[in-house]
Amino acid sequence: MNARRTPRGSRSSPGREILEHTAEILLGVGVSKQTLLDELRDILRHKQEPSRPFDPAGLHDAAGYAHVLAHWYADPDYRDRRSPRQPAALPLNGAQRSVAALVRRVFPKQRVQTTVEVLIELGAIQRKGRRYVPNSPFVSFSNDTAVAHVYAYMALLGHMRTIAHNLGCNDDTQLLFERTATNARVPVSALPTIHRHLRRVLADTLFRLDAYFSRWETRSGSEPTTLVGAAAFAFDDSTIPGRAKPLRDRRRTRAKRASRHRRAERIP
């Protein structure tokens, strides 16, 4: 019996859609199918099998943690009454103005305490006395490798979907926003300053978009809803192995080497 081919864009495999879009782009720029197969085999040969199976619920959780923070900062009812631009310190439980009320907006069926513990572990919120305060309007997943990989998958999938949609779209009015600002003649020494500027500008833009999306939010089940998002990322060729590094990093490396050399000289 012949195996049925999985439809294009099927969600039977979490990586299939990304591979479909990646293959389409690479084939479009002239990379052969045989080269793609050979390189994929070589890459997978050096990778270990995952320690646990893919859990689709992880995608909802990764997006939801940031969503809780977005409500905390964007909703006027959850701002500090003495400093309206700042989020209020909240008790864990309560019918109004509580962490539990915020969590249930995003995770109506999930234990509040579990979500709070995860947010604390991620460094997104902290406890002060009997109340909780957010540390930042954004959630960093760098402290949890598993969640970080789920977030990376979600961001990559969203980006690939936009690119694939725009490549196959013949109606300019239906194109999704996709822009890139690049310059190939930027001195490597300027990268630290540039990246600080990008973090400040893009973080502010995404913060305001979080608030804008929240204003469109509707009660679950009241009408058809969908996921909408915007992402921003910076890139430069210095991250490629063997490429030039920022001068500041080089100076730090030389200083560390010199320090180690001085310590070695003092060893009897």
Side-chain angles (χ1 to χ4, degrees):
M1 185 169 104
N2 294 330
R4 291 195 306 171
R5 184 177 178 181
T6 305
R8 186 185 183 96
S10 170
R11 297 185 181 181
S12 60
S13 168
R16 183 180 179 87
E17 188 178 350
I18 290 178
L19 291 174
E20 286 269 11
H21 296 328
T22 303
E24 186 172 343
I25 293 169
L26 292 175
L27 292 171
V29 298
V31 179
S32 70
K33 289 193 290 184
Q34 188 58 52
T35 298
L36 286 178
L37 286 171
D38 292 342
E39 291 184 346
L40 182 58
R41 290 193 187 100
D42 184 58
I43 291 170
L44 293 178
R45 189 181 299 119
H46 298 90
K47 301 296 181 182
Q48 295 181 346
E49 283 291 327
S51 58
R52 58 178 178 272
F54 175 73
D55 181 10
L59 297 175
H60 177 256
D61 290 346
Y65 298 140
H67 201 173
V68 172
L69 270 294
H71 279 302
W72 204 332
Y73 276 83
D75 191 333
D77 292 336
Y78 284 86
R79 293 180 189 155
D80 192 311
R81 292 191 173 97
R82 290 176 295 181
S83 302
R85 293 186 177 183
Q86 299 298 321
L90 301 175
L92 178 61
N93 295 301
Q96 297 178 342
R97 284 176 62 90
S98 69
V99 178
L102 280 174
V103 170
R104 290 192 183 103
R105 283 188 180 186
V106 182
F107 300 109
K109 298 180 180 180
Q110 192 163 302
R111 288 185 65 246
V112 170
Q113 188 62 46
T114 300
T115 303
V116 170
E117 289 172 0
V118 173
L119 288 171
I120 291 175
E121 290 176 4
L122 292 172
I125 67 174
Q126 62 175 308
R127 183 172 180 174
K128 288 189 174 181
R130 296 184 177 182
R131 294 179 178 268
Y132 295 82
V133 294
N135 294 321
S136 166
F138 303 101
V139 179
S140 172
F141 299 117
S142 58
N143 295 332
D144 190 318
T145 304
V147 181
H149 279 90
V150 170
Y151 171 77
Y153 167 77
M154 182 174 60
L156 179 60
L157 182 59
H159 193 191
M160 295 300 291
R161 282 176 175 170
T162 295
I163 293 174
H165 170 82
N166 287 350
L167 284 174
C169 185
N170 296 319
D171 183 355
D172 289 349
T173 64
Q174 297 299 314
L175 291 173
L176 298 179
F177 182 82
E178 180 195 351
R179 298 287 187 275
T180 304
T182 60
N183 190 310
R185 301 187 64 182
V186 172
V188 175
S189 60
L191 291 181
T193 301
I194 289 173
H195 283 301
R196 282 196 300 271
H197 177 74
L198 289 173
R199 288 189 191 97
R200 183 172 62 253
V201 172
L202 296 179
D204 180 65
T205 299
L206 291 174
F207 174 74
R208 286 186 281 112
L209 284 174
D210 260 339
Y212 176 72
F213 294 152
S214 295
R215 291 201 296 269
W216 284 95
E217 212 170 290
T218 186
R219 184 171 52 83
S220 178
S222 61
E223 61 179 287
T225 60
T226 188
L227 172 71
V228 63
F233 66 96
F235 57 90
D236 69 70
D237 285 352
S238 73
T239 59
I240 302 174
R243 295 294 179 92
K245 297 295 181 182
L247 290 179
R248 187 178 66 172
D249 294 342
R250 292 182 189 172
R251 294 191 190 103
R252 286 182 176 178
T253 301
R254 285 198 295 267
K256 288 180 180 179
R257 289 175 180 170
S259 176
R260 286 198 298 267
H261 180 66
R262 288 193 296 272
R263 286 199 300 269
E265 288 179 341
R266 289 196 294 268
I267 295 176

